[in-house]
Amino acid sequence: MNNKQIAIIGTGVIGNGWIVRFLANGFDVVAYDPIDGAEARTKEVIEQAWESVESLGLHTDASHERIRFVSSIEDAVKHADLIQENVPERLDLKQDVLKEIDRFAQKDAIIGSSTSGIKPTELQIKLDHPERLVVAHPFNPVYLLPLVEIVGGKQTTKEMKQAAHDLYEAANMKPMIIEKEIEGFVADRLMEALWREALHLVNDGIATTEEVDKAITYGAGLRWAQMGPFMTFHLAGGKEGMRHMLKQFGPALKLPWTKLEAPELTEDLKERVINGCETHAGDRSVAELEHKRNAFLVQLIDLVEDYWP
């Protein structure tokens, strides 16, 4: 049995994703969210997601009943081994919530923030015990995607980063400790570069949203899912691998192919993107698309585990 208790502060998309992840891996979860109807929405998410996590394989002690909602941050965190903060991406709000968490948490508890871009040093400013705070940045849907980026601030101890690593690993995740803090961390910076280029291609009338998605789905995305960009290019170099690849194609990096600065998000561009996505989705609801995505990810994760160590 995973005898650690997890506190979830904020039960939006990410917070609920964490809840399903921890329940599926045999943890007890205590949740707090002041928004009306939060508990009912969480139960709905658990019900919808449980089939997917069951397909991946549940911990022997997994149960969607091992969760309870409480009426204050104090009640949520006072016995928790890990507190996962998931409030909206506003620095002032996060600092205030983290300060309250820090006030009531056990002295050896790990405090993890799900922020997707704020540096942990900025999140530590108001804490009495800043050494135990880490950024623990997951990816949606959290209950399926295993990567979590762990980033410490200037006052975070190595011991706390390792403790966080081990606990997330116990939740069947693939934790990655990032030694240098930087806005957006690693994965989001990579996705942001692709997102900016995609918007330029649509804005300049070169490709539709459906064509951009097709280019990734049936091209680079298939290879990246298995081994990422570096190993993909290593194979592109033939017998000499990356050595030949850089010699052969390295000079092309100087060519002005890409437009890494984001385009202005004009009303026209927004409508192109929105209309393109809605047309591509057709009569399929977001719920239907999520269900298809989850089924696909379950099989894909299994394939990655089987074919790439």
Side-chain angles (χ1 to χ4, degrees):
M1 176 182 290
N2 286 319
N3 57 2
K4 302 286 189 182
Q5 181 170 295
I6 310 299
I8 302 295
I9 308 301
T11 59
V13 172
I14 298 301
N16 280 329
W18 278 118
I19 288 172
V20 176
R21 160 78 58 178
F22 284 117
L23 291 176
N25 285 280
F27 291 86
D28 288 313
V29 177
V30 182
Y32 169 74
D33 193 317
I35 302 299
D36 289 341
E39 185 171 0
R41 283 191 292 273
T42 292
K43 288 181 178 179
E44 183 179 344
V45 170
I46 294 171
E47 184 178 340
Q48 291 174 346
W50 204 253
E51 179 183 352
S52 296
V53 293
E54 200 168 26
S55 299
L56 274 182
L58 297 173
H59 189 278
T60 53
D61 295 309
S63 171
H64 48 72
E65 301 294 332
R66 293 178 64 178
I67 179 174
R68 60 187 177 91
F69 270 74
V70 293
S71 58
S72 70
I73 287 179
E74 179 182 2
D75 287 339
V77 310
K78 61 185 179 182
H79 299 303
D81 299 285
L82 167 69
I83 301 105
Q84 193 74 35
E85 169 271 308
N86 316 283
V87 302
E89 201 77 348
R90 286 179 17 223
L91 178 58
D92 58 340
L93 175 61
K94 283 187 178 290
Q95 286 176 336
D96 289 342
V97 170
L98 289 167
K99 181 180 179 180
E100 190 169 0
I101 290 171
D102 185 49
R103 177 185 172 193
F104 294 114
Q106 300 181 101
K107 64 179 181 180
D108 58 347
I110 302 164
I111 301 175
S113 174
S114 297
T115 179
S116 59
I118 301 173
K119 288 183 178 181
T121 295
E122 296 177 334
L123 297 174
Q124 291 174 324
I125 289 175
K126 295 183 179 181
L127 306 188
D128 291 329
H129 303 284
E131 70 282 352
R132 59 181 174 172
L133 179 132
V134 297
V135 160
H137 174 226
F139 296 84
N140 185 45
V142 183
Y143 52 85
L144 292 181
L145 296 185
L147 181 64
V148 56
E149 296 177 309
I150 298 173
V151 193
K154 290 180 179 178
Q155 300 180 76
T156 308
T157 63
K158 288 183 178 180
E159 292 77 13
M160 191 56 70
K161 285 187 284 186
Q162 187 60 49
H165 175 282
D166 295 345
L167 199 154
Y168 290 113
E169 194 170 56
N172 205 25
M173 302 195 82
K174 302 288 187 184
M176 178 172 68
I177 296 177
I178 299 171
E179 295 298 340
K180 292 185 178 181
E181 59 178 329
I182 185 173
E183 295 91 343
F185 321 125
V186 173
D188 272 5
R189 293 178 75 92
L190 294 171
M191 290 189 290
E192 180 74 11
L194 180 60
W195 174 235
R196 290 181 182 186
E197 191 67 20
L199 287 174
H200 276 295
L201 291 170
V202 172
N203 193 49
D204 295 345
I206 295 166
T208 64
T209 58
E210 183 175 0
E211 288 167 342
V212 170
D213 285 350
K214 188 175 183 178
I216 297 299
T217 300
Y218 298 108
L222 287 173
R223 299 181 300 184
W224 289 345
Q226 184 187 16
M227 56 181 64
F230 280 104
M231 289 305 297
T232 294
F233 282 131
H234 180 61
L235 270 62
K239 291 181 179 180
E240 295 181 35
M242 184 62 79
R243 187 176 302 278
H244 177 72
M245 188 273 171
L246 289 176
K247 181 180 178 181
Q248 183 76 8
F249 299 105
L253 293 173
K254 297 287 186 179
L255 299 177
W257 285 0
T258 59
K259 300 179 178 180
L260 286 182
E261 287 191 12
E264 183 181 351
L265 202 56
T266 62
E267 290 302 317
D268 178 64
L269 177 54
K270 285 192 283 188
E271 285 304 312
R272 288 195 200 186
V273 171
I274 293 167
N275 290 335
C277 290
E278 290 178 346
T279 300
H280 192 188
D283 58 1
R284 295 169 296 182
S285 68
V286 170
E288 289 177 271
L289 293 172
E290 285 179 343
H291 182 76
K292 288 179 178 290
R293 176 202 64 188
N294 289 357
F296 172 79
L297 286 176
V298 167
Q299 295 184 56
L300 184 60
I301 290 167
D302 285 339
L303 280 173
V304 172
E305 292 292 335
D306 288 343
Y307 287 94
W308 189 246

